[in-house]
Amino acid sequence: MKKLLTYLFISVSVFILVSCDKPAPTQLIDDTTDEFEVELLNKDLEGEYYSSGADTSGITQDITGITNLISVSGIKITTENRTSIFSLAQAMFFDKSKPIRYSNGRLLAYKTIIPGTIKFNGTEAHIVPYRIRFREGGIPKDTLVGGKYLLYNISYGIPDPFYFEYNSNVSFEFDPFLPGGNISFNILTPHEINGIVSLTGNKSNKNLEANLSWNGMGEKRVFVIIGLLRPGQLQSIPVYKMKTPDDGELKIPNRYLNQLPLDRFEKIVFTFVRSYEAYHENGNNDLLVSSQSIHSIVIDIP
Amino acid sequence: MALNLKILPQSSFGLAGYWGLQESVTIPFYNYESNASNYFDIKDWGVSLQYGAEFSGSVNSSLYLLAMAKKLGNHSLSARFTPGYQKEFLFATGESIIINDTTTQSLEANYNYRELFGLGYSYKFDEQFSAGLAVRFYSQDFNREIVKPIYGDTLYLVRESINEKVNLLNADVGINYIVNKNFQLRAASINLFNIEDEITNEEFLGFEMDQKRGALLTASYMPADFFNFHILYETSNSFQLSATGYAEGITYGLTAFHDYYQEPYIAGVVPAVGYRTDLFEVLLSGVKYFSERSTDASFSKFYEEGINNIINNRYSFDKIVLSMALNISSAPEKQVELIDVEIVRDIYPTFYDKYVEQPFAYGRVVNISNKPVSVIPSVKIEGITDDQIQSPPLNLAPGDTAKVPFYLIIPDNYVIDKAVLSYADFYVTASSNEPDAQLQKAALINSINSWDGNVANLRYFIKRDIDFSMNYAKNVLGNNKAVLDTLPSVISIFYKSEILFNDFVKKLVYTSDPRATAEYVQFPKQTNELKGGDCDDLSVAYSSLLESVGIQTALVDYKGDGDIRHVNVLVNTKLSPSQAKFITNNDSKYFIRKNEQGKDEIWIPIETTSLTNFDEAWNIGVEKFNREALIEMGLATGKVEIIDVY
């Protein structure tokens, strides 16, 4: 009897061992504000950076998917405790029947058209040539795609008396050359964004640590663009675009900075962007309206 | 990331509920959670497993626990393997990457907390008090996807996994105190000793198990077998209340637990019902939580509050658990108990076969089983016997107590020069090879020259040195061959006795015992070497010489009054009364005894302390024998006793 029970016990144990799985796992739903999305903006850190010119934050943007664009921005650039303030408004309208292609046939952009006059906050925008610069086969090139509407204010209404108001509206008016009704609407502007960067460690030890903070509004998301500046250069090369909740803080995982060839660069630029973007309700979803508060902080890489 | 996450190793929760220190159920005692003292009640070997299913929407079956236990006297050892003691969490890391400008991929992580195995040890100091410790080994497996920038000619982002295994060794101690049959107490530490690998990857910092120290206290009130009540309190402010019972093989229990880290106040219950025999035990238990459980949960809550127990936390699911235990004891149940032993005789090694006939000790044995048993007493004395010397078996009815004799065999070549105090181990064995009970007693082992004063026991001294005596006697008789050859055979014994006396005894001197307080008897060889001895030594030597050449002798014990005793020798001449004239015409110089065939034979008394010559020794011996044995009726009154050597 004892032997029988022993064999039975062993048999049951073996059966259990081979038949069982492990306890059910628990899937944790991320309801924190720690998340962020990272996008690599530029693979080539060696050459000159070429922009589509469509985005005032200084980042590259694929404009092939955009039919028409109206953009207003309030821009601040902080360098060594000095902050410069700019306002900018621009608009561009593309003719989808006139594509511009790379030599291999890949779509680069579309030709633009000038369909009428445009005013921002009652000031008529200038029509300026619209060039996009790109790199093909390692060779820098640029091409004229047409004209675009532009207003910018560098200081006290110079050259244009366009003033970007935060948490307010920018009025937009369009008067077409062809017969038809005028179009006007207000563009909602976001709250001003004020960033602070704490950059510790040093590049030689590859232990740079960046803790970012800003005046979080707790709604939607902000972008943080990280760019690099070579010695003597004015235009940064954007490297990463990180999207994170507008909660006022972000610790950049150290690996993102320390894996870069920082010894070839002098400065690092953290650009905070709080933006509103929406397609204008004209029934066609072909007019993207964007307003942005941008704060770029330029820091020497320790 | 998160810091100080409250992820704790196991505390007191067990999948079969809490049972206190109850002996009617074995399985829960393999749960070190509430039993850090490793308390369990098995007789020899025990094997236990817990297999169950977790209901999380789907059903996941797991082998929760496989345990082995062994009892070695007052020591208890156990080991358990716990593959089902684990909890895995899957979650998005919060980090995502945009691939090819449009596709967003979220990065994921899984953290798995596992208790792998444990070891337990305890020592039972007495029936009331025991203490022990449990050591448990945990593994924390962290796996996480990250985005890593790689820079060569160009910069690109790769998605890769990083992982780290962090081991944790945790030890706790516990004590049990059985105040009486109805009331029992236990105390144990929680996370007393912890040795943990250091986390090297900063991504996982803060997710390791916490090792917050604490303690648990339990009390059991057990008014009757069929109803017991237990309370267990942890210093984390969690507690368990349970009621258990045992009746006619059926075990049953219900445990309600309050977990400081779970809602509602009574977080759940563990009902259990089982069946137990001496050989096996089966227990079916369940864990029912009173709060709603889901396979999806908030990361932020996990981040803020962690878990305090791997198998019992806010993310645990209802379970049903089948526990089985097998008592594969190789030692049968104790059937008899040895109450006491009394040593009734000192041990004289020279009396080598005396204790085969006469027990040197008696024990009191009780049959504690419910059936008749056959009890075999045995004894082993350090320094004398290597093996247990068994005595005849004795049958005992249930509940009966009996007096059992312990016999002893001393090797005839055993030599000890001085008396020593040794130890005798007494055993009683019923129906198996292993003793049911044993007792140890001090026993005095005398030297080989020691004698208990009983003349009858001088025969052992006569026999022991028989080789020396034979050589000596044959040599002497050989030297007198010419004389002996001329004598009629019928009187050869007489003359051999005379020759041996005159050759051996005559050259000796009388000396009293060298020891004042103990009887000391020399072997014939020692007497020859020492050239003397007292009446015991001389009678032993002379008798041994005669016996070695086939001459029958007897010792005459003159008991006298008080301490004055004397011994000399009777020699069987093998002459018939009608042949007595060949050696003497004085019929008062011999004594007639019947042999085994009923024929009369002439015996002559020889006083061995008369160290002159044979005739003189004969005359003195006759004079003493006639006076004390015959005239004063010593043989009739017992004051004189004739003891045959063989």
Side-chain angles (χ1 to χ4, degrees):
Chain A
M1 179 67 175
K2 188 183 279 189
K3 270 191 175 176
L4 180 68
L5 275 171
T6 304
Y7 292 141
L8 186 65
F9 189 91
I10 292 168
S11 304
V12 169
S13 302
V14 170
F15 167 77
I16 286 170
L17 273 173
V18 298
S19 68
C20 61
D21 44 282
K22 63 182 185 181
T26 294
Q27 179 79 47
L28 297 175
I29 309 299
D30 191 359
D31 54 353
T32 67
T33 58
D34 276 347
E35 79 272 25
F36 74 98
E37 180 184 284
V38 62
E39 181 183 359
L40 181 65
L41 298 176
N42 191 24
K43 293 179 180 178
D44 184 5
L45 303 184
E46 297 295 330
E48 189 180 353
Y49 174 65
Y50 295 91
S51 163
S52 69
D55 193 316
T56 51
S57 63
I59 65 170
T60 186
Q61 185 168 3
D62 179 9
I63 56 174
T64 57
I66 299 171
T67 303
N68 302 301
L69 174 66
I70 299 168
S71 172
V72 293
S73 304
I75 302 167
K76 295 180 293 182
I77 298 175
T78 302
T79 308
E80 294 176 355
N81 299 325
R82 207 185 81 190
T83 300
S84 305
I85 300 171
F86 309 92
S87 295
L88 185 141
Q90 59 181 344
M92 52 199 76
F93 301 94
F94 298 98
D95 182 352
K96 290 287 176 112
S97 64
K98 295 178 179 171
I100 302 169
R101 297 183 184 277
Y102 291 97
S103 55
N104 63 4
R106 190 161 64 91
L107 183 64
L108 173 63
Y110 295 98
K111 288 282 187 183
T112 59
I113 54 173
I114 302 297
T117 58
I118 285 177
K119 292 179 181 175
F120 292 98
N121 283 345
T123 303
E124 184 174 338
H126 312 289
I127 298 169
V128 298
Y130 177 24
R131 292 180 179 277
I132 58 173
R133 295 187 290 178
F134 61 99
R135 180 181 285 271
E136 184 172 33
I139 301 168
K141 296 179 178 177
D142 65 37
T143 186
L144 180 67
V145 297
K148 69 175 180 179
Y149 299 90
L150 180 69
L151 283 177
Y152 63 100
N153 174 358
I154 295 175
S155 176
Y156 302 104
I158 300 171
D160 300 315
F162 170 69
Y163 296 90
F164 182 89
E165 298 284 339
Y166 295 104
N167 192 26
S168 180
N169 294 293
V170 172
S171 68
F172 173 82
E173 297 166 60
F174 173 60
D175 182 12
F177 295 138
L178 298 176
N182 292 354
I183 298 172
S184 66
F185 54 82
N186 285 330
I187 301 169
L188 194 64
T189 61
H191 287 272
E192 181 180 8
I193 190 163
N194 296 304
I196 298 172
V197 177
S198 165
L199 188 65
T200 56
N202 60 66
K203 59 185 176 188
S204 56
N205 291 335
K206 288 188 175 297
N207 62 350
L208 277 182
E209 191 172 315
N211 288 289
L212 314 185
S213 58
W214 62 93
N215 57 325
M217 302 307 295
E219 57 181 34
K220 299 189 178 177
R221 294 190 169 204
V222 298
F223 299 110
V224 176
I225 296 127
I226 298 175
L228 297 170
L229 266 173
R230 282 205 180 80
Q233 281 194 337
L234 293 175
Q235 187 174 8
S236 68
I237 301 175
V239 181
Y240 303 122
K241 177 182 176 185
M242 293 170 175
K243 189 156 77 174
T244 186
D246 191 2
D247 61 350
E249 60 180 12
L250 174 66
K251 179 183 184 302
I252 308 289
N254 295 355
R255 58 180 180 276
Y256 285 107
L257 298 183
N258 293 305
Q259 295 293 328
L260 298 173
L262 296 176
D263 50 347
R264 301 175 197 178
F265 296 92
E266 182 184 31
K267 297 176 190 294
I268 186 167
V269 184
F270 294 89
T271 301
F272 299 80
V273 180
R274 179 181 288 140
S275 65
Y276 290 162
E277 258 184 15
Y279 281 95
H280 182 63
E281 295 173 353
N282 60 359
N284 297 327
N285 271 356
D286 59 0
L287 178 59
L288 180 64
V289 179
S290 167
S291 66
Q292 301 158 98
S293 168
I294 298 170
H295 185 192
S296 290
I297 299 174
V298 183
I299 299 173
D300 288 338
I301 301 172
Chain B
M1 299 300 284
L3 290 173
N4 300 320
L5 197 60
K6 292 193 183 80
I7 300 174
L8 302 176
Q10 306 306 325
S11 45
S12 65
F13 181 84
L15 293 172
Y18 185 67
W19 293 74
L21 283 70
Q22 202 167 320
E23 293 184 353
S24 59
V25 62
T26 301
I27 298 160
F29 299 138
Y30 298 130
N31 287 317
Y32 298 147
E33 290 69 42
S34 59
N35 185 27
S37 58
N38 193 43
Y39 181 94
F40 55 80
D41 182 47
I42 60 166
K43 292 175 180 64
D44 189 14
W45 282 97
V47 180
S48 171
L49 69 81
Q50 285 186 321
Y51 176 75
E54 192 174 47
F55 303 99
S56 59
S58 60
V59 178
N60 293 65
S61 60
S62 300
L63 175 64
Y64 286 106
L65 177 150
L66 189 60
M68 286 191 78
K70 167 72 178 167
K71 196 156 230 171
L72 290 166
N74 289 331
H75 305 269
S76 299
L77 303 165
S78 66
R80 71 177 198 177
F81 170 53
T82 46
Y85 278 41
Q86 60 175 295
K87 183 65 191 177
E88 184 177 23
F89 294 96
L90 311 173
F91 56 95
T93 64
E95 198 171 339
S96 58
I97 178 173
I98 295 179
I99 306 289
N100 297 330
D101 294 337
T102 52
T103 311
T104 301
Q105 293 183 359
S106 294
L107 306 186
E108 294 183 339
N110 72 72
Y111 293 175
N112 196 10
Y113 302 90
R114 297 188 291 160
E115 181 183 333
L116 298 179
F117 61 86
L119 300 168
Y121 168 78
S122 70
Y123 184 77
K124 185 176 178 181
F125 293 92
D126 54 38
E127 291 303 319
Q128 286 186 294
F129 183 65
S130 64
L133 62 90
V135 178
R136 285 175 281 169
F137 184 77
Y138 297 87
S139 174
Q140 303 159 80
D141 301 323
F142 300 115
N143 293 286
R144 182 187 181 101
E145 289 181 317
I146 61 165
V147 173
K148 191 174 179 183
I150 301 290
Y151 182 74
D153 291 337
T154 57
L155 180 67
Y156 55 97
L157 298 180
V158 295
R159 180 178 177 173
E160 68 175 35
S161 288
I162 55 170
N163 52 68
E164 186 165 357
K165 184 188 282 281
V166 181
N167 297 318
L168 168 65
L169 194 69
N170 164 279
D172 282 306
V173 298
I175 55 173
N176 305 304
Y177 183 58
I178 299 173
V179 181
N180 56 45
K181 189 183 171 187
N182 304 123
F183 191 59
Q184 302 170 349
L185 298 169
R186 163 180 285 166
S189 66
I190 296 174
N191 298 323
L192 184 60
F193 301 109
N194 296 286
I195 303 170
E196 187 172 25
D197 292 345
E198 201 164 304
I199 288 186
T200 56
N201 197 317
E202 66 172 13
E203 304 285 350
F204 305 127
L205 276 176
F207 284 97
E208 67 271 32
M209 287 197 284
D210 196 0
Q211 297 136 39
K212 188 178 175 184
R213 287 193 174 87
L216 66 86
L217 303 167
T218 76
S220 296
Y221 177 58
M222 309 166 76
D225 284 343
F226 61 86
F227 182 75
N228 310 295
F229 181 74
H230 317 277
I231 181 167
L232 181 154
Y233 174 75
E234 282 183 44
T235 49
S236 65
N237 283 331
S238 299
F239 64 80
Q240 294 181 47
L241 298 171
S242 69
T244 62
Y246 173 74
E248 297 182 356
I250 305 292
T251 52
Y252 41 86
L254 179 66
T255 303
F257 57 95
H258 162 70
D259 186 348
Y260 178 77
Y261 303 96
Q262 294 188 60
E263 297 290 340
Y265 189 77
I266 296 297
V269 291
V270 185
V273 63
Y275 179 72
R276 185 190 188 191
T277 70
D278 288 341
L279 199 55
F280 71 94
E281 187 173 342
V282 177
L283 192 74
L284 187 67
S285 59
V287 181
K288 174 63 186 169
Y289 291 100
F290 294 146
S291 61
E292 197 173 328
R293 304 282 155 149
S294 168
T295 50
D296 297 331
S298 156
F299 180 85
S300 58
K301 195 169 178 67
F302 172 76
Y303 179 91
E304 288 164 14
E305 299 179 14
I307 56 172
N308 70 314
N309 186 309
I310 291 176
I311 57 168
N312 174 38
N313 53 63
R314 70 171 65 82
Y315 309 104
S316 299
F317 302 99
D318 292 347
K319 298 178 185 67
I320 187 163
V321 179
L322 177 67
S323 304
M324 294 188 289
L326 188 63
N327 186 349
I328 50 175
S329 170
S330 60
E333 195 169 349
K334 190 175 185 177
Q335 293 182 305
V336 292
E337 187 66 82
L338 183 58
I339 301 170
D340 192 20
V341 172
E342 183 186 7
I343 295 176
V344 294
R345 288 182 177 82
D346 288 341
I347 298 168
Y348 293 91
T350 303
F351 308 170
Y352 64 95
D353 66 353
K354 180 182 177 66
Y355 307 109
V356 176
E357 298 163 357
Q358 299 175 352
F360 82 105
Y362 288 95
R364 280 202 305 141
V365 180
V366 59
N367 179 356
I368 58 175
S369 74
N370 54 7
K371 56 189 177 186
V373 293
S374 176
V375 182
I376 300 172
S378 58
V379 65
K380 180 179 169 185
I381 300 179
E382 187 181 340
I384 293 185
T385 60
D386 292 331
D387 302 317
Q388 294 174 25
I389 308 299
Q390 286 191 355
S391 301
L394 180 78
N395 292 323
L396 266 183
D400 276 7
T401 301
K403 185 177 180 180
V404 295
F406 289 94
Y407 296 95
L408 181 64
I409 300 172
I410 298 172
D412 55 7
N413 59 352
Y414 179 72
V415 175
I416 181 171
D417 294 332
K418 291 179 181 176
V420 295
L421 189 62
S422 184
Y423 290 94
D425 291 306
F426 297 91
Y427 305 93
V428 284
T429 307
S431 71
S432 87
N433 293 328
E434 292 299 316
D436 289 55
Q438 72 179 88
L439 268 178
Q440 191 176 65
K441 287 267 182 178
L444 179 68
I445 304 174
N446 290 287
S447 75
I448 55 170
N449 289 106
S450 295
W451 174 49
D452 63 355
N454 183 351
V455 173
N457 292 330
L458 287 178
R459 72 177 72 150
Y460 293 104
F461 293 89
I462 293 169
K463 292 174 187 175
R464 185 176 176 104
D465 233 359
I466 203 73
D467 288 345
F468 163 79
S469 299
M470 189 184 298
N471 290 335
Y472 187 94
K474 283 182 177 177
N475 188 41
V476 170
L477 294 177
N479 291 338
N480 290 273
K481 184 174 184 299
V483 177
L484 290 170
D485 286 349
T486 61
L487 295 173
S489 63
V490 71
I491 58 170
S492 68
I493 290 176
F494 176 81
Y495 281 99
K496 284 178 181 174
S497 305
E498 181 180 4
I499 289 167
L500 287 171
F501 186 90
N502 288 338
D503 185 273
F504 183 76
V505 179
K506 211 170 73 173
K507 61 188 178 187
L508 302 177
V509 294
Y510 181 87
T511 53
S512 60
D513 267 348
R515 300 182 186 187
T517 55
E519 292 284 1
Y520 183 88
V521 176
Q522 295 166 184
F523 295 104
K525 187 179 179 184
Q526 292 174 305
T527 303
N528 182 52
E529 289 167 355
L530 295 169
K531 307 289 187 202
D534 65 0
C535 65
D536 314 323
D537 307 324
L538 298 173
S539 296
V540 164
Y542 184 52
S543 172
S544 180
L545 289 174
L546 296 183
E547 291 282 354
S548 73
V549 292
I551 299 172
Q552 190 179 10
T553 61
L555 299 172
V556 185
D557 180 13
Y558 297 94
K559 295 175 182 173
D561 297 322
D563 292 335
I564 304 169
R565 295 183 72 167
H566 183 66
V567 59
N568 60 22
V569 178
L570 273 177
V571 179
N572 185 358
T573 64
K574 289 288 182 178
L575 296 170
S576 64
S578 61
Q579 295 170 322
K581 60 188 178 200
F582 295 138
I583 58 171
T584 181
N585 292 320
N586 183 351
D587 61 1
S588 66
K589 288 189 70 174
Y590 55 85
F591 179 62
I592 298 169
R593 298 180 74 200
K594 285 189 185 300
N595 66 12
E596 290 174 349
Q597 288 76 39
K599 289 174 64 178
D600 289 341
E601 290 176 331
I602 299 297
W603 291 67
I604 55 175
I606 305 297
E607 178 52 58
T608 51
T609 58
S610 171
L611 304 173
T612 50
N613 58 54
F614 182 74
D615 288 337
E616 184 66 19
W618 185 9
N619 288 333
I620 294 172
V622 162
E623 190 276 327
K624 186 172 180 67
F625 186 82
N626 286 347
R627 186 180 68 251
E628 293 189 28
L630 302 176
I631 296 168
E632 294 175 4
M633 301 179 71
L635 287 173
T637 60
K639 288 191 173 180
V640 177
E641 188 178 1
I642 297 171
I643 299 146
D644 289 304
V645 171
Y646 283 99

